[in-house]
Amino acid sequence: MHMETPWWRDAVVYEIYVRSFADASGDGVGDLAGIRQRLPYLAELGVDAIWLTPFYRSPMADGGYDVADYRDVDPLFGTLADFDALVADAHGHGLRVIVDIVPNHSSSEHEWFKTALRGEGRDRYLFRDGGELPPNNWQSTFSGPAWSRTPDGQWYLHLFAAEQPDFNWRNPEVRSEFLDVLRFWLDRGVDGFRIDVAMGLYKAEGLPDTPPEDQAFKAESPIWGRPEVHEVYREWRKVLDSYPDERMAIGEVWTDSAEDLALYVRPDELHQSFNFAWLEAPWSATAFQKVIDDTLAAVTAPTWVLSNHDVVRHVTRYGGGLINSTTGLARARAALLAMLALPGSAYLYQGEELGLPEVTDLPPESRQDPIFARSRGTLPGRDGCRVPIPWSGVAEPYGFSPDGARPWLPQPVEWAVLSAEHQASDPGSTLSFYQEALRARRELRGSFTDGITWLDSPEGALFFSRGPLTCVINCGSDSVQLPPHERVLIGSAPVDGYLLPPDTAAWLHTP
């Protein structure tokens, strides 16, 4: 009996960084009502699902990833009624809804932590005695020590900002609380969860001092990837499986091997895990082929992603750091086409369909990422990929906010020609290209094979087939001869039918 493919296994998911997508209230900050207004745009773009970054009650010390109440909407973004209406409207447009869940840490304004500071229930977090010095040498991923001292002399662990105390997952109360939080949102109709810092949660017993190299995101370091975390996801999977309509979870797992990544997506654990090796690969056919081979060999439900709210936008990465690089944009479009041809799910980041580059010249006084503050300005932080989307018009706020309200991060003057409105009428625009590529992928879905077949490729290029589709990408500096084909289905740049230019990809139909 042929089983229908679960929706998430080959979905195209669009990440919405809620603060920066669309502002309906006019306060310069994106909100749930703004997303509702733009659902027709997302449906026309051709994605299958949206993923919302945290919209919960939060003091916004880390853009909402410091959660004060896991069961409510922050007034900055709207109300629970706004959320319910957004889910209903999204489903009406045929879009699934994935929400972020942040289980490694809460906000220091969470009721549990405020109670802990009063001396009660400290076992929900990781408090330790340490004297004048922190209990160990662990460093925050946001720069500086991973410990802060309370007025009574104890220290608490925070692997991110000081306003984000880490939970003690060895306390059964914490495990029970998050099972309840999952059910709360599943009961409201969400289709899945993106799990923040999914390789976190547990720390090694005794919290030992650790060499700096073991504090990186590695498998089974004392800080990350502890084996105990897998039992949590087995519990979560049972909850997800108890609901109809194929609810799912995807983990944010930074790790150093595809084999370790595969541990999170065993049949009784998470459905998917982000594959950051693709995002981290340089512009190289050899590098791309290795990531694809390693991923497909290790993971049964692969994912692919080029940008997200935590990394430099790939237009700028591929352009060698230049903001308005034509090379970077050409490579970004080519990489998108190669990614969409691979088995599995593709995760897009808002604005990449407009070809938005990283904003590298934000004034220091406008930056809000705690990485910038904690590193005393030596690290730029992640604000450059979080600048609000340009929708229309020729000046800030480019239709992001009504009545000309200034957005929470300034938008570049160069973005007038990158707005969705400006690109919609241009068949050669990046937006039109994304729409065409996603439409072609939908049309081919039924004929795709589960895997790919590598074809002989010229130096610097990568050719592979997947059913009737042959995907070609040229990462070299010279044009290469195309393999035999019936016709060109789509190209990231013009393709004459015989030669594939540098920094270009194409889909070919092969009989």
Side-chain angles (χ1 to χ4, degrees), residues 9 257-259 261-262 265 275 277-278 288-304 338-339 341-345 449-454 462 464-466:
R9 191 175 281 271
S257 75
E259 290 74 23
L261 196 68
V265 290
N275 176 22
W278 179 252
F288 286 161
Q289 183 168 2
K290 178 173 175 22
V291 170
I292 294 168
D293 280 340
D294 290 351
T295 301
L296 296 183
V299 181
T300 55
T303 66
W304 313 94
M339 179 172 84
L342 293 168
S345 296
T449 54
D450 289 339
I452 66 168
T453 301
W454 292 115
L462 207 55
F464 63 87
S465 65
R466 193 172 171 216

Side-chain angles (χ1 to χ4, degrees), residues 283-285 331 459-461 473-480 501-504:
W283 181 254
S284 154
R331 290 175 173 178
E459 186 175 354
I473 182 169
N474 184 1
C475 301
S477 53
D478 298 312
S479 294
V480 298
D503 302 328
T504 304

Side-chain angles (χ1 to χ4, degrees), residues 13 15 51 98 100 193-196 250-255 261 264-265 270 272-279 299 301-305 307-309 345-348:
V13 182
E15 180 192 354
W51 149 31
I98 297 169
D100 234 304
F193 297 94
R194 177 266 188 186
I195 305 165
D196 186 60
I250 177 169
E252 180 199 25
V253 179
W254 294 91
T255 186
L261 196 68
Y264 291 82
V265 290
L270 303 180
Q272 293 182 321
S273 188
F274 280 113
N275 176 22
F276 295 119
W278 179 252
L279 177 153
V299 181
T303 66
W304 313 94
V305 58
S307 282
N308 63 36
H309 67 279
S345 296
Y347 283 74
L348 312 180

Side-chain angles (χ1 to χ4, degrees), residues 137 158 194 205 210 229 267 327 432 446 503:
N137 68 344
H158 53 86
R194 177 266 188 186
E205 294 272 19
T210 306
V229 77
T327 297
S432 296
D503 302 328

Side-chain angles (χ1 to χ4, degrees), residues 34-172:
I35 298 169
R36 277 185 75 194
Q37 293 173 357
R38 299 291 181 179
L39 288 173
Y41 167 87
L42 295 170
E44 186 180 357
L45 180 62
V47 299
D48 301 299
I50 56 174
W51 149 31
L52 306 177
T53 58
F55 48 82
Y56 314 111
R57 283 190 178 267
S58 168
M60 294 290 151
D62 183 26
Y65 282 92
D66 49 319
V67 180
D69 185 344
Y70 287 86
R71 296 177 183 82
D72 201 3
V73 174
D74 195 281
L76 192 64
F77 303 129
T79 64
L80 275 171
D82 289 325
F83 177 81
D84 293 340
L86 171 57
V87 171
D89 281 8
H91 288 165
H93 281 91
L95 298 168
R96 309 268 186 166
V97 179
I98 297 169
V99 300
D100 234 304
I101 189 165
V102 187
N104 180 73
H105 49 263
S106 75
S107 165
S108 54
E109 292 297 311
H110 191 287
E111 198 56 45
W112 276 9
F113 193 73
K114 291 195 288 186
T115 300
L117 291 182
R118 295 193 294 267
E120 303 168 31
R122 286 199 170 181
D123 193 44
R124 294 163 171 164
Y125 295 90
L126 291 166
F127 281 86
R128 294 292 185 272
D129 294 323
E132 293 300 315
L133 295 175
N136 67 22
N137 68 344
W138 294 3
Q139 295 293 297
S140 162
T141 60
F142 284 177
S143 187
W147 295 92
S148 286
R149 201 173 189 187
T150 59
D152 64 5
Q154 275 205 313
W155 299 77
Y156 68 88
L157 180 71
H158 53 86
L159 292 177
F160 295 88
E163 297 88 349
Q164 294 168 288
D166 279 48
F167 282 117
N168 172 21
W169 271 86
R170 298 187 190 280
N171 181 340

